[in-house]
Amino acid sequence: LVLFHDKDLKRMLGREGEINNYNLLELQKHNLLWQKKETDQRIIELETLFKDFPNLIYYLDLKNPSIKNLNILYSLIEK
């Protein structure tokens, strides 16, 4: 699971297609955009975010709430 708001990649990566159609390595080849300009930031895994910032409160919106993704999220939260 990754931290990413949009369902498609157009606004934040300047690429065509939905995020669900790419794996992590493909997504991390591209820098994120901010106000249509490339930054030095890349998509981050949710697990990394939880490890780096364990005491934050998160409001999550799963774009693909499959049983598999819900189980992965549950495991991450338990850690």
Side-chain angles (χ1 to χ4, degrees), residues 9-21:
L9 303 175
K10 188 67 175 170
R11 183 174 68 96
M12 296 299 297
L13 285 181
R15 304 280 184 251
E16 295 297 325
E18 292 190 3
I19 194 165
N20 292 338
N21 296 330

Side-chain angles (χ1 to χ4, degrees), residues 29-45:
K29 288 179 184 176
H30 308 287
N31 292 350
L32 292 168
L33 302 177
W34 174 251
Q35 297 179 344
K36 299 183 181 182
K37 295 179 183 165
E38 190 172 306
T39 69
D40 62 351
Q41 303 298 308
R42 299 193 184 223
I43 291 177
I44 186 173
E45 288 180 274

Side-chain angles (χ1 to χ4, degrees), residues 11-77:
R11 183 174 68 96
M12 296 299 297
L13 285 181
R15 304 280 184 251
E16 295 297 325
E18 292 190 3
I19 194 165
N20 292 338
N21 296 330
Y22 295 86
N23 65 42
L24 181 64
L25 294 176
E26 292 170 329
L27 293 170
Q28 288 185 329
K29 288 179 184 176
H30 308 287
N31 292 350
L32 292 168
L33 302 177
W34 174 251
Q35 297 179 344
K36 299 183 181 182
K37 295 179 183 165
E38 190 172 306
T39 69
D40 62 351
Q41 303 298 308
R42 299 193 184 223
I43 291 177
I44 186 173
E45 288 180 274
L46 200 55
E47 182 173 11
T48 301
L49 182 74
F50 286 173
K51 284 180 185 176
D52 290 351
F53 302 97
N55 297 318
L56 292 180
I57 295 172
Y58 297 94
Y59 295 92
L60 302 174
D61 175 17
L62 288 176
K63 301 299 185 199
N64 185 9
S66 66
I67 293 298
K68 177 185 173 186
N69 287 343
L70 290 170
N71 285 333
I72 293 168
L73 178 59
Y74 180 78
S75 296
L76 292 174
I77 292 170

